[in-house]
Short mmCIF file of all heavy atoms in Angstrom, two decimals:
data_model
loop_
_atom_site.label_atom_id
_atom_site.label_comp_id
_atom_site.label_asym_id
_atom_site.label_seq_id
_atom_site.Cartn_x
_atom_site.Cartn_y
_atom_site.Cartn_z
N MET A 63 7.76 -9.49 -1.57
CA MET A 63 7.08 -8.44 -0.92
C MET A 63 5.58 -8.48 -1.35
O MET A 63 5.26 -8.67 -2.53
CB MET A 63 7.66 -7.10 -1.40
CG MET A 63 7.13 -5.85 -0.80
SD MET A 63 7.96 -4.35 -1.05
CE MET A 63 7.82 -4.12 -2.79
N HIS A 64 4.77 -8.32 -0.34
CA HIS A 64 3.35 -8.31 -0.55
C HIS A 64 2.77 -6.96 -0.24
O HIS A 64 2.51 -6.59 0.92
CB HIS A 64 2.65 -9.40 0.28
CG HIS A 64 1.24 -9.68 0.05
ND1 HIS A 64 0.22 -8.78 0.35
CD2 HIS A 64 0.58 -10.76 -0.49
CE1 HIS A 64 -0.93 -9.18 0.01
NE2 HIS A 64 -0.76 -10.50 -0.54
N ILE A 65 2.63 -6.12 -1.32
CA ILE A 65 2.35 -4.66 -1.09
C ILE A 65 1.02 -4.50 -0.36
O ILE A 65 0.83 -3.56 0.53
CB ILE A 65 2.40 -3.88 -2.40
CG1 ILE A 65 2.36 -2.40 -2.13
CG2 ILE A 65 1.24 -4.42 -3.35
CD1 ILE A 65 3.57 -1.88 -1.41
N GLY A 66 -0.02 -5.33 -0.68
CA GLY A 66 -1.28 -5.18 0.03
C GLY A 66 -1.20 -5.35 1.55
O GLY A 66 -1.82 -4.53 2.31
N ARG A 67 -0.47 -6.34 1.98
CA ARG A 67 -0.21 -6.48 3.35
C ARG A 67 0.55 -5.37 3.99
O ARG A 67 0.20 -4.88 5.05
CB ARG A 67 0.49 -7.80 3.63
CG ARG A 67 0.59 -8.15 5.15
CD ARG A 67 1.26 -9.45 5.33
NE ARG A 67 2.72 -9.46 4.90
CZ ARG A 67 3.22 -10.29 4.00
NH1 ARG A 67 2.54 -11.17 3.39
NH2 ARG A 67 4.52 -10.13 3.62
N LEU A 68 1.48 -4.77 3.31
CA LEU A 68 2.28 -3.65 3.84
C LEU A 68 1.36 -2.41 3.92
O LEU A 68 1.56 -1.64 4.86
CB LEU A 68 3.47 -3.40 2.93
CG LEU A 68 4.54 -4.49 2.85
CD1 LEU A 68 5.47 -4.33 1.81
CD2 LEU A 68 5.15 -4.72 4.16
N ILE A 69 0.46 -2.20 2.95
CA ILE A 69 -0.42 -1.12 3.00
C ILE A 69 -1.32 -1.28 4.25
O ILE A 69 -1.50 -0.31 5.04
CB ILE A 69 -1.28 -1.00 1.73
CG1 ILE A 69 -0.43 -0.54 0.54
CG2 ILE A 69 -2.42 0.03 1.92
CD1 ILE A 69 -1.02 -0.66 -0.81
N ARG A 70 -1.90 -2.46 4.43
CA ARG A 70 -2.71 -2.64 5.61
C ARG A 70 -1.98 -2.43 6.97
O ARG A 70 -2.54 -1.79 7.86
CB ARG A 70 -3.29 -4.05 5.63
CG ARG A 70 -4.23 -4.36 6.73
CD ARG A 70 -4.80 -5.75 6.66
NE ARG A 70 -6.08 -5.78 7.28
CZ ARG A 70 -7.01 -6.63 7.03
NH1 ARG A 70 -6.86 -7.50 6.12
NH2 ARG A 70 -8.22 -6.62 7.67
N GLU A 71 -0.77 -2.89 6.98
CA GLU A 71 0.03 -2.72 8.19
C GLU A 71 0.22 -1.25 8.43
O GLU A 71 0.18 -0.74 9.66
CB GLU A 71 1.39 -3.42 8.07
CG GLU A 71 1.27 -4.97 8.16
CD GLU A 71 2.49 -5.74 7.87
OE1 GLU A 71 3.54 -5.02 7.48
OE2 GLU A 71 2.48 -6.91 7.85
N GLN A 72 0.56 -0.42 7.37
CA GLN A 72 0.77 0.98 7.55
C GLN A 72 -0.53 1.76 7.97
O GLN A 72 -0.45 2.63 8.81
CB GLN A 72 1.36 1.60 6.26
CG GLN A 72 1.82 2.96 6.39
CD GLN A 72 2.87 3.17 7.51
OE1 GLN A 72 2.77 4.14 8.26
NE2 GLN A 72 3.91 2.21 7.56
N VAL A 73 -1.62 1.32 7.47
CA VAL A 73 -2.96 1.89 7.77
C VAL A 73 -3.14 1.66 9.32
O VAL A 73 -3.49 2.67 10.09
CB VAL A 73 -4.10 1.24 7.01
CG1 VAL A 73 -5.44 1.60 7.57
CG2 VAL A 73 -4.01 1.75 5.55
N GLU A 74 -2.97 0.51 9.76
CA GLU A 74 -3.16 0.10 11.12
C GLU A 74 -2.11 0.82 12.05
O GLU A 74 -2.55 1.32 13.18
CB GLU A 74 -3.03 -1.33 11.34
CG GLU A 74 -4.24 -2.07 10.72
CD GLU A 74 -4.20 -3.63 10.65
OE1 GLU A 74 -3.15 -4.15 11.17
OE2 GLU A 74 -5.15 -4.25 10.27
N ALA A 75 -0.87 0.91 11.62
CA ALA A 75 0.15 1.53 12.40
C ALA A 75 -0.09 3.04 12.64
O ALA A 75 0.28 3.62 13.63
CB ALA A 75 1.59 1.39 11.70
N GLN A 76 -0.82 3.61 11.69
CA GLN A 76 -1.22 5.02 11.82
C GLN A 76 -2.50 5.23 12.55
O GLN A 76 -2.92 6.34 12.79
CB GLN A 76 -1.32 5.64 10.41
CG GLN A 76 0.06 5.77 9.67
CD GLN A 76 0.01 6.58 8.42
OE1 GLN A 76 -0.92 7.25 8.21
NE2 GLN A 76 1.04 6.31 7.59
N GLY A 77 -3.09 4.17 12.97
CA GLY A 77 -4.34 4.24 13.72
C GLY A 77 -5.49 4.67 12.83
O GLY A 77 -6.52 5.11 13.29
N ARG A 78 -5.34 4.38 11.53
CA ARG A 78 -6.44 4.64 10.57
C ARG A 78 -7.22 3.34 10.43
O ARG A 78 -6.84 2.35 10.82
CB ARG A 78 -5.84 5.01 9.24
CG ARG A 78 -4.82 6.13 9.39
CD ARG A 78 -5.42 7.41 8.90
NE ARG A 78 -4.39 8.48 8.88
CZ ARG A 78 -4.75 9.81 9.03
NH1 ARG A 78 -5.99 10.08 9.06
NH2 ARG A 78 -3.81 10.64 8.90
N THR A 79 -8.32 3.51 9.76
CA THR A 79 -9.24 2.38 9.54
C THR A 79 -9.32 2.09 8.02
O THR A 79 -9.05 2.98 7.23
CB THR A 79 -10.69 2.58 10.11
OG1 THR A 79 -11.22 3.70 9.36
CG2 THR A 79 -10.54 2.79 11.57
N THR A 80 -9.88 0.95 7.67
CA THR A 80 -10.20 0.59 6.30
C THR A 80 -11.20 1.57 5.81
O THR A 80 -11.17 1.95 4.64
CB THR A 80 -10.60 -0.88 6.23
OG1 THR A 80 -9.45 -1.68 6.67
CG2 THR A 80 -10.91 -1.27 4.74
N SER A 81 -12.17 1.85 6.61
CA SER A 81 -13.19 2.83 6.20
C SER A 81 -12.68 4.16 5.87
O SER A 81 -13.07 4.80 4.86
CB SER A 81 -14.27 2.93 7.35
OG SER A 81 -14.89 1.70 7.55
N TRP A 82 -11.73 4.61 6.60
CA TRP A 82 -11.05 5.94 6.32
C TRP A 82 -10.41 5.82 4.95
O TRP A 82 -10.58 6.81 4.16
CB TRP A 82 -10.02 6.21 7.43
CG TRP A 82 -9.19 7.45 7.04
CD1 TRP A 82 -9.56 8.78 7.31
CD2 TRP A 82 -7.96 7.44 6.32
NE1 TRP A 82 -8.58 9.59 6.82
CE2 TRP A 82 -7.57 8.91 6.28
CE3 TRP A 82 -7.11 6.44 5.85
CZ2 TRP A 82 -6.37 9.22 5.68
CZ3 TRP A 82 -5.93 6.89 5.23
CH2 TRP A 82 -5.55 8.25 5.14
N LEU A 83 -9.57 4.84 4.71
CA LEU A 83 -8.88 4.64 3.42
C LEU A 83 -9.93 4.57 2.30
O LEU A 83 -9.70 5.26 1.25
CB LEU A 83 -7.98 3.44 3.44
CG LEU A 83 -7.04 3.29 2.19
CD1 LEU A 83 -6.22 4.53 1.95
CD2 LEU A 83 -6.22 2.10 2.37
N ALA A 84 -10.96 3.78 2.47
CA ALA A 84 -12.01 3.76 1.41
C ALA A 84 -12.60 5.10 1.13
O ALA A 84 -12.70 5.49 -0.03
CB ALA A 84 -13.10 2.77 1.87
N ARG A 85 -12.94 5.87 2.18
CA ARG A 85 -13.52 7.28 1.92
C ARG A 85 -12.43 8.12 1.17
O ARG A 85 -12.86 8.76 0.23
CB ARG A 85 -13.84 7.92 3.26
CG ARG A 85 -15.20 7.67 3.75
CD ARG A 85 -15.55 8.50 4.96
NE ARG A 85 -14.55 8.61 5.98
CZ ARG A 85 -14.38 7.79 6.93
NH1 ARG A 85 -15.06 6.75 7.10
NH2 ARG A 85 -13.45 7.98 7.86
N GLU A 86 -11.25 8.08 1.57
CA GLU A 86 -10.26 8.91 0.94
C GLU A 86 -9.98 8.54 -0.45
O GLU A 86 -9.73 9.39 -1.38
CB GLU A 86 -8.92 8.82 1.70
CG GLU A 86 -9.00 9.49 3.09
CD GLU A 86 -9.32 10.91 3.18
OE1 GLU A 86 -8.74 11.66 2.35
OE2 GLU A 86 -10.25 11.33 3.91
N LEU A 87 -10.12 7.28 -0.91
CA LEU A 87 -9.88 6.85 -2.21
C LEU A 87 -11.19 6.88 -3.00
O LEU A 87 -11.17 6.65 -4.23
CB LEU A 87 -9.38 5.33 -2.15
CG LEU A 87 -7.96 5.16 -1.60
CD1 LEU A 87 -7.64 3.67 -1.53
CD2 LEU A 87 -6.90 5.80 -2.56
N ALA A 88 -12.31 7.10 -2.33
CA ALA A 88 -13.61 7.08 -2.99
C ALA A 88 -13.86 5.64 -3.51
O ALA A 88 -14.45 5.46 -4.63
CB ALA A 88 -13.73 8.09 -4.11
N TYR A 89 -13.57 4.72 -2.68
CA TYR A 89 -13.77 3.27 -2.89
C TYR A 89 -14.82 2.78 -1.89
O TYR A 89 -14.89 3.34 -0.80
CB TYR A 89 -12.46 2.45 -2.78
CG TYR A 89 -11.45 2.54 -3.92
CD1 TYR A 89 -11.51 3.53 -4.92
CD2 TYR A 89 -10.48 1.56 -3.97
CE1 TYR A 89 -10.61 3.52 -5.93
CE2 TYR A 89 -9.57 1.57 -5.02
CZ TYR A 89 -9.68 2.56 -6.02
OH TYR A 89 -8.69 2.59 -7.00
N CYS A 90 -15.34 1.57 -2.15
CA CYS A 90 -16.07 0.98 -1.18
C CYS A 90 -15.05 0.07 -0.28
O CYS A 90 -14.02 -0.21 -0.80
CB CYS A 90 -17.19 0.15 -1.70
SG CYS A 90 -16.63 -1.27 -2.63
N ARG A 91 -15.39 -0.21 0.96
CA ARG A 91 -14.48 -1.03 1.82
C ARG A 91 -14.15 -2.31 1.19
O ARG A 91 -13.01 -2.72 1.33
CB ARG A 91 -15.14 -1.21 3.12
CG ARG A 91 -15.08 0.04 4.02
CD ARG A 91 -15.67 -0.33 5.38
NE ARG A 91 -16.70 -1.34 5.38
CZ ARG A 91 -17.12 -2.06 6.36
NH1 ARG A 91 -16.63 -1.83 7.61
NH2 ARG A 91 -18.08 -2.92 6.27
N THR A 92 -15.03 -2.98 0.41
CA THR A 92 -14.70 -4.23 -0.19
C THR A 92 -13.54 -4.14 -1.13
O THR A 92 -12.67 -4.93 -1.17
CB THR A 92 -15.99 -4.67 -0.99
OG1 THR A 92 -17.09 -4.85 -0.12
CG2 THR A 92 -15.66 -6.08 -1.66
N ASN A 93 -13.47 -2.94 -1.89
CA ASN A 93 -12.37 -2.84 -2.80
C ASN A 93 -11.11 -2.54 -2.03
O ASN A 93 -9.94 -2.89 -2.51
CB ASN A 93 -12.66 -1.72 -3.77
CG ASN A 93 -13.66 -2.10 -4.77
OD1 ASN A 93 -13.91 -3.28 -5.09
ND2 ASN A 93 -14.29 -1.13 -5.48
N VAL A 94 -11.13 -1.96 -0.92
CA VAL A 94 -9.90 -1.77 -0.10
C VAL A 94 -9.42 -3.00 0.43
O VAL A 94 -8.26 -3.34 0.40
CB VAL A 94 -10.09 -0.74 1.01
CG1 VAL A 94 -8.83 -0.58 1.89
CG2 VAL A 94 -10.34 0.63 0.46
N TYR A 95 -10.31 -3.92 0.85
CA TYR A 95 -9.91 -5.26 1.24
C TYR A 95 -9.35 -5.95 0.10
O TYR A 95 -8.36 -6.85 0.29
CB TYR A 95 -11.13 -6.03 1.82
CG TYR A 95 -11.46 -5.58 3.24
CD1 TYR A 95 -12.73 -4.97 3.59
CD2 TYR A 95 -10.53 -5.65 4.36
CE1 TYR A 95 -13.02 -4.48 4.81
CE2 TYR A 95 -10.89 -5.19 5.58
CZ TYR A 95 -12.04 -4.65 5.82
OH TYR A 95 -12.38 -4.13 7.07
N LYS A 96 -9.77 -5.78 -1.08
CA LYS A 96 -9.14 -6.43 -2.28
C LYS A 96 -7.71 -5.94 -2.45
O LYS A 96 -6.87 -6.69 -2.89
CB LYS A 96 -9.98 -6.12 -3.52
CG LYS A 96 -11.34 -6.99 -3.47
CD LYS A 96 -12.14 -6.74 -4.76
CE LYS A 96 -13.47 -7.44 -4.68
NZ LYS A 96 -14.27 -7.13 -5.85
N ILE A 97 -7.52 -4.66 -2.22
CA ILE A 97 -6.18 -4.08 -2.27
C ILE A 97 -5.27 -4.77 -1.30
O ILE A 97 -4.12 -5.17 -1.55
CB ILE A 97 -6.16 -2.56 -2.07
CG1 ILE A 97 -6.83 -1.83 -3.21
CG2 ILE A 97 -4.76 -2.05 -1.84
CD1 ILE A 97 -7.08 -0.38 -2.96
N TYR A 98 -5.81 -4.94 -0.08
CA TYR A 98 -4.94 -5.62 0.93
C TYR A 98 -4.56 -7.04 0.58
O TYR A 98 -3.52 -7.58 0.99
CB TYR A 98 -5.80 -5.75 2.25
CG TYR A 98 -6.00 -4.42 3.01
CD1 TYR A 98 -7.08 -4.40 3.89
CD2 TYR A 98 -5.35 -3.29 2.70
CE1 TYR A 98 -7.32 -3.26 4.65
CE2 TYR A 98 -5.66 -2.04 3.41
CZ TYR A 98 -6.67 -2.12 4.29
OH TYR A 98 -6.97 -0.92 4.97
N ASP A 99 -5.38 -7.67 -0.30
CA ASP A 99 -5.07 -9.05 -0.70
C ASP A 99 -4.05 -9.16 -1.90
O ASP A 99 -3.59 -10.12 -2.18
CB ASP A 99 -6.34 -9.73 -1.16
CG ASP A 99 -7.25 -10.11 0.01
OD1 ASP A 99 -6.70 -10.23 1.15
OD2 ASP A 99 -8.39 -10.28 -0.25
N LYS A 100 -3.80 -7.94 -2.53
CA LYS A 100 -2.94 -7.97 -3.66
C LYS A 100 -1.48 -7.97 -3.32
O LYS A 100 -1.01 -7.35 -2.50
CB LYS A 100 -3.23 -6.72 -4.57
CG LYS A 100 -4.54 -6.66 -5.14
CD LYS A 100 -4.74 -5.41 -6.02
CE LYS A 100 -6.09 -5.39 -6.66
NZ LYS A 100 -6.06 -6.10 -7.96
N LYS A 101 -0.76 -8.88 -4.14
CA LYS A 101 0.64 -8.85 -4.03
C LYS A 101 1.39 -7.84 -4.90
O LYS A 101 2.44 -7.32 -4.57
CB LYS A 101 1.22 -10.25 -4.58
CG LYS A 101 2.66 -10.45 -4.30
CD LYS A 101 3.13 -11.80 -4.68
CE LYS A 101 4.68 -11.73 -4.57
NZ LYS A 101 5.31 -12.87 -4.26
N SER A 102 0.63 -7.37 -5.88
CA SER A 102 1.20 -6.16 -6.64
C SER A 102 0.01 -5.19 -6.90
O SER A 102 -1.19 -5.52 -6.63
CB SER A 102 1.67 -6.63 -7.97
OG SER A 102 0.69 -7.18 -8.82
N ILE A 103 0.34 -3.99 -7.34
CA ILE A 103 -0.62 -2.90 -7.37
C ILE A 103 -0.28 -1.88 -8.41
O ILE A 103 0.93 -1.76 -8.78
CB ILE A 103 -0.71 -2.17 -6.03
CG1 ILE A 103 -1.93 -1.29 -5.98
CG2 ILE A 103 0.51 -1.51 -5.70
CD1 ILE A 103 -2.17 -0.63 -4.55
N ASP A 104 -1.31 -1.33 -9.05
CA ASP A 104 -1.05 -0.27 -10.05
C ASP A 104 -0.30 0.90 -9.50
O ASP A 104 -0.57 1.30 -8.31
CB ASP A 104 -2.46 0.18 -10.57
CG ASP A 104 -2.40 1.29 -11.57
OD1 ASP A 104 -2.05 0.95 -12.75
OD2 ASP A 104 -2.57 2.47 -11.17
N THR A 105 0.67 1.43 -10.14
CA THR A 105 1.46 2.48 -9.59
C THR A 105 0.71 3.73 -9.32
O THR A 105 1.01 4.48 -8.37
CB THR A 105 2.68 2.81 -10.53
OG1 THR A 105 2.22 3.04 -11.86
CG2 THR A 105 3.62 1.63 -10.57
N ASP A 106 -0.29 4.11 -10.10
CA ASP A 106 -1.09 5.32 -9.82
C ASP A 106 -1.84 5.15 -8.53
O ASP A 106 -1.87 6.07 -7.72
CB ASP A 106 -2.12 5.49 -10.95
CG ASP A 106 -1.43 6.10 -12.27
OD1 ASP A 106 -0.33 6.76 -12.19
OD2 ASP A 106 -2.04 5.87 -13.33
N LEU A 107 -2.32 4.04 -8.37
CA LEU A 107 -3.13 3.73 -7.08
C LEU A 107 -2.07 3.72 -5.85
O LEU A 107 -2.35 4.30 -4.82
CB LEU A 107 -3.80 2.40 -7.07
CG LEU A 107 -4.57 1.99 -5.82
CD1 LEU A 107 -5.58 3.09 -5.40
CD2 LEU A 107 -5.21 0.62 -6.04
N LEU A 108 -0.92 3.14 -6.06
CA LEU A 108 0.04 3.13 -4.99
C LEU A 108 0.43 4.59 -4.70
O LEU A 108 0.75 4.94 -3.52
CB LEU A 108 1.30 2.25 -5.39
CG LEU A 108 2.36 2.11 -4.28
CD1 LEU A 108 1.65 1.46 -3.09
CD2 LEU A 108 3.44 1.28 -4.81
N LEU A 109 0.59 5.45 -5.73
CA LEU A 109 0.96 6.84 -5.46
C LEU A 109 -0.08 7.59 -4.66
O LEU A 109 0.28 8.27 -3.71
CB LEU A 109 1.23 7.52 -6.78
CG LEU A 109 1.60 9.03 -6.64
CD1 LEU A 109 2.95 9.23 -5.89
CD2 LEU A 109 1.72 9.57 -8.14
N ARG A 110 -1.34 7.31 -4.94
CA ARG A 110 -2.40 7.92 -4.24
C ARG A 110 -2.37 7.46 -2.76
O ARG A 110 -2.52 8.28 -1.79
CB ARG A 110 -3.79 7.54 -4.85
CG ARG A 110 -4.08 8.24 -6.16
CD ARG A 110 -5.37 7.80 -6.77
NE ARG A 110 -6.48 8.04 -5.93
CZ ARG A 110 -7.65 7.49 -6.01
NH1 ARG A 110 -7.89 6.57 -6.80
NH2 ARG A 110 -8.62 7.93 -5.18
N ILE A 111 -2.22 6.15 -2.54
CA ILE A 111 -2.14 5.55 -1.15
C ILE A 111 -0.99 6.16 -0.45
O ILE A 111 -1.07 6.59 0.77
CB ILE A 111 -2.13 4.12 -1.24
CG1 ILE A 111 -3.46 3.59 -1.73
CG2 ILE A 111 -1.87 3.51 0.18
CD1 ILE A 111 -3.61 2.05 -2.09
N SER A 112 0.22 6.19 -1.09
CA SER A 112 1.38 6.81 -0.46
C SER A 112 1.16 8.20 -0.07
O SER A 112 1.57 8.65 1.08
CB SER A 112 2.60 6.75 -1.48
OG SER A 112 2.98 5.38 -1.75
N SER A 113 0.52 9.00 -0.86
CA SER A 113 0.28 10.44 -0.55
C SER A 113 -0.68 10.49 0.63
O SER A 113 -0.47 11.27 1.56
CB SER A 113 -0.33 11.10 -1.69
OG SER A 113 0.59 11.21 -2.72
N LEU A 114 -1.76 9.67 0.58
CA LEU A 114 -2.68 9.72 1.74
C LEU A 114 -2.10 9.32 3.08
O LEU A 114 -2.39 9.94 4.07
CB LEU A 114 -3.87 8.81 1.45
CG LEU A 114 -4.86 9.20 0.40
CD1 LEU A 114 -5.79 8.04 -0.02
CD2 LEU A 114 -5.66 10.42 0.76
N LEU A 115 -1.21 8.29 2.97
CA LEU A 115 -0.68 7.82 4.29
C LEU A 115 0.65 8.46 4.60
O LEU A 115 1.26 8.28 5.65
CB LEU A 115 -0.40 6.28 4.23
CG LEU A 115 -1.69 5.47 4.08
CD1 LEU A 115 -1.30 4.01 3.84
CD2 LEU A 115 -2.53 5.55 5.37
N LYS A 116 1.09 9.36 3.63
CA LYS A 116 2.42 10.09 3.78
C LYS A 116 3.53 9.01 4.14
O LYS A 116 4.29 9.11 5.08
CB LYS A 116 2.43 11.07 4.81
CG LYS A 116 1.39 12.26 4.57
CD LYS A 116 1.25 13.24 5.68
CE LYS A 116 0.28 14.40 5.40
NZ LYS A 116 -0.94 14.07 4.79
N TYR A 117 3.54 8.06 3.29
CA TYR A 117 4.48 6.83 3.44
C TYR A 117 4.99 6.43 2.05
O TYR A 117 4.13 6.24 1.22
CB TYR A 117 3.83 5.70 4.11
CG TYR A 117 4.76 4.56 4.47
CD1 TYR A 117 5.44 4.57 5.68
CD2 TYR A 117 4.91 3.54 3.57
CE1 TYR A 117 6.42 3.55 5.93
CE2 TYR A 117 5.81 2.56 3.91
CZ TYR A 117 6.50 2.56 5.02
OH TYR A 117 7.39 1.50 5.35
N ASP A 118 6.26 6.39 1.91
CA ASP A 118 6.80 6.04 0.55
C ASP A 118 6.94 4.53 0.32
O ASP A 118 7.92 3.95 0.59
CB ASP A 118 8.24 6.71 0.43
CG ASP A 118 8.80 6.54 -0.96
OD1 ASP A 118 8.18 5.93 -1.81
OD2 ASP A 118 9.84 7.11 -1.19
N PHE A 119 5.85 4.03 -0.17
CA PHE A 119 5.89 2.56 -0.53
C PHE A 119 6.82 2.25 -1.63
O PHE A 119 7.32 1.14 -1.75
CB PHE A 119 4.44 2.05 -0.86
CG PHE A 119 3.59 2.02 0.36
CD1 PHE A 119 2.62 3.04 0.56
CD2 PHE A 119 3.58 0.99 1.18
CE1 PHE A 119 1.78 2.95 1.65
CE2 PHE A 119 2.80 0.91 2.29
CZ PHE A 119 1.88 1.98 2.55
N PHE A 120 7.08 3.17 -2.55
CA PHE A 120 8.02 3.04 -3.63
C PHE A 120 9.43 2.81 -3.17
O PHE A 120 10.17 2.01 -3.79
CB PHE A 120 7.93 4.19 -4.60
CG PHE A 120 6.65 4.33 -5.31
CD1 PHE A 120 5.69 5.12 -4.80
CD2 PHE A 120 6.44 3.63 -6.48
CE1 PHE A 120 4.45 5.22 -5.57
CE2 PHE A 120 5.24 3.68 -7.19
CZ PHE A 120 4.23 4.55 -6.69
N ALA A 121 9.80 3.38 -2.02
CA ALA A 121 11.06 3.15 -1.45
C ALA A 121 11.21 1.68 -1.09
O ALA A 121 12.37 1.11 -1.11
CB ALA A 121 11.29 3.99 -0.19
N LEU A 122 10.19 0.97 -0.76
CA LEU A 122 10.27 -0.48 -0.43
C LEU A 122 10.65 -1.25 -1.65
O LEU A 122 11.44 -2.18 -1.63
CB LEU A 122 8.93 -0.88 0.19
CG LEU A 122 8.52 -0.28 1.44
CD1 LEU A 122 7.07 -0.76 1.81
CD2 LEU A 122 9.49 -0.52 2.58
N TYR A 123 10.09 -0.84 -2.73
CA TYR A 123 10.43 -1.49 -4.10
C TYR A 123 11.92 -1.20 -4.47
O TYR A 123 12.56 -2.11 -4.90
CB TYR A 123 9.51 -1.07 -5.15
CG TYR A 123 8.10 -1.81 -5.10
CD1 TYR A 123 7.02 -1.08 -4.68
CD2 TYR A 123 8.02 -3.17 -5.58
CE1 TYR A 123 5.76 -1.76 -4.69
CE2 TYR A 123 6.76 -3.77 -5.57
CZ TYR A 123 5.68 -2.98 -5.14
OH TYR A 123 4.51 -3.64 -5.16
N SER A 124 12.35 0.00 -4.22
CA SER A 124 13.73 0.38 -4.56
C SER A 124 14.70 -0.41 -3.74
O SER A 124 15.72 -0.84 -4.22
CB SER A 124 13.88 1.87 -4.29
OG SER A 124 13.20 2.62 -5.24
N GLU A 125 14.35 -0.58 -2.45
CA GLU A 125 15.28 -1.30 -1.58
C GLU A 125 15.27 -2.82 -2.04
O GLU A 125 16.35 -3.32 -2.06
CB GLU A 125 14.73 -1.31 -0.14
CG GLU A 125 15.61 -1.99 0.87
CD GLU A 125 15.09 -1.87 2.30
OE1 GLU A 125 14.49 -0.73 2.59
OE2 GLU A 125 15.16 -2.84 3.05
N GLU A 126 14.12 -3.39 -2.42
CA GLU A 126 14.11 -4.74 -2.97
C GLU A 126 14.96 -4.86 -4.17
O GLU A 126 15.65 -5.81 -4.38
CB GLU A 126 12.68 -5.21 -3.11
CG GLU A 126 12.51 -6.67 -3.45
CD GLU A 126 11.05 -7.15 -3.50
OE1 GLU A 126 10.54 -7.16 -2.32
OE2 GLU A 126 10.65 -7.56 -4.54
N LEU A 127 14.89 -3.92 -5.07
CA LEU A 127 15.62 -3.97 -6.26
C LEU A 127 17.11 -3.85 -6.01
O LEU A 127 17.88 -4.61 -6.57
CB LEU A 127 15.12 -2.74 -7.18
CG LEU A 127 16.02 -2.54 -8.50
CD1 LEU A 127 15.73 -3.81 -9.40
CD2 LEU A 127 15.53 -1.32 -9.23
N ARG A 128 17.51 -2.95 -5.06
CA ARG A 128 18.87 -2.88 -4.73
C ARG A 128 19.46 -4.26 -4.19
O ARG A 128 20.55 -4.67 -4.61
CB ARG A 128 19.12 -1.80 -3.67
CG ARG A 128 19.21 -0.39 -4.34
CD ARG A 128 19.67 0.62 -3.31
NE ARG A 128 18.71 0.85 -2.19
CZ ARG A 128 17.66 1.63 -2.18
NH1 ARG A 128 17.42 2.32 -3.34
NH2 ARG A 128 16.85 1.81 -1.22
N ARG A 129 18.65 -4.86 -3.34
CA ARG A 129 19.13 -6.23 -2.84
C ARG A 129 19.20 -7.22 -3.99
O ARG A 129 20.13 -8.00 -3.98
CB ARG A 129 18.11 -6.68 -1.76
CG ARG A 129 18.30 -6.01 -0.40
CD ARG A 129 17.49 -6.78 0.67
NE ARG A 129 16.10 -7.03 0.34
CZ ARG A 129 15.13 -6.28 0.85
NH1 ARG A 129 15.38 -5.21 1.59
NH2 ARG A 129 13.88 -6.51 0.51
N SER A 130 18.25 -7.23 -4.91
CA SER A 130 18.26 -8.11 -5.98
C SER A 130 19.43 -7.94 -6.86
O SER A 130 20.10 -8.89 -7.29
CB SER A 130 16.98 -7.97 -6.81
OG SER A 130 16.92 -8.78 -7.95
N VAL A 131 19.77 -6.71 -7.16
CA VAL A 131 20.93 -6.31 -8.05
C VAL A 131 22.21 -6.74 -7.32
O VAL A 131 23.16 -7.28 -7.90
CB VAL A 131 20.91 -4.84 -8.41
CG1 VAL A 131 22.22 -4.51 -9.07
CG2 VAL A 131 19.73 -4.63 -9.35
N ALA A 132 22.27 -6.41 -5.99
CA ALA A 132 23.50 -6.82 -5.25
C ALA A 132 23.80 -8.30 -5.14
O ALA A 132 24.91 -8.71 -5.03
CB ALA A 132 23.37 -6.23 -3.85
N ASN A 133 22.71 -9.08 -5.22
CA ASN A 133 22.87 -10.54 -5.10
C ASN A 133 23.20 -11.21 -6.39
O ASN A 133 23.40 -12.46 -6.51
CB ASN A 133 21.54 -11.17 -4.54
CG ASN A 133 21.42 -10.84 -3.07
OD1 ASN A 133 22.36 -10.66 -2.40
ND2 ASN A 133 20.15 -10.78 -2.68
N LYS A 134 23.38 -10.40 -7.46
CA LYS A 134 23.68 -11.01 -8.80
C LYS A 134 25.07 -10.85 -9.18
O LYS A 134 25.79 -10.08 -8.72
CB LYS A 134 22.77 -10.37 -9.92
CG LYS A 134 21.35 -10.89 -9.75
CD LYS A 134 20.57 -10.40 -10.81
CE LYS A 134 19.12 -10.94 -10.70
NZ LYS A 134 18.26 -10.83 -11.76
#
């Protein structure tokens, strides 16, 4: 799972822009693009992004964990 790519996809799916996310996070756009490039992310930042987008990114991790445990 590449969380940065998933965040970018959700931003676009909601018709939002990188500039919007940058403003809401009080980041510059360059830092948001760096988030999009990340395979992993700090949980506090992910919580902020989840709240802003009203999308549970943590559920994606839980689903991946369930699949991993089921395959063992």
